[in-house]
Amino acid sequence: MPPRPQRRVNAEHFEALRAEVIRAAVELSDDQLSDLTEALHGMIRLRRPPRPIGRPSGWLEAESPYIV
């Protein structure tokens, strides 16, 4: 397995981003909040290892909880 890329935002910047997302979420419509949530979840899914294509039963297995 290849090494994981080092990703990290400065803790202070992350806290500011998190606070702004939560503040803005109050003003978002349900559709907008769902869209934002799905976009973030999509980024997590892109970091997970792919399921094996050559083995059909692989599509029925649960996704790996580990992010690559």
Side-chain angles (χ1 to χ4, degrees):
M1 180 180 272
R4 294 181 181 186
Q6 295 299 313
R7 298 180 180 105
R8 181 148 307 264
V9 173
N10 172 291
E12 187 176 309
H13 293 160
F14 174 76
E15 287 302 319
L17 174 62
R18 185 177 185 277
E20 181 59 19
V21 168
I22 291 170
R23 185 208 59 77
V26 174
E27 300 176 24
L28 297 175
S29 70
D30 288 349
D31 288 341
Q32 290 172 325
L33 187 57
S34 290
D35 185 53
L36 181 59
T37 302
E38 289 170 12
L40 291 171
H41 186 244
M43 293 304 299
I44 290 171
R45 290 180 71 135
L46 287 173
R47 292 181 180 191
R48 290 186 179 150
R51 295 179 183 171
I53 293 175
R55 189 168 47 88
S57 63
W59 292 97
L60 302 175
E61 295 172 4
E63 285 183 298
S64 169
Y66 302 104
I67 298 173
V68 177

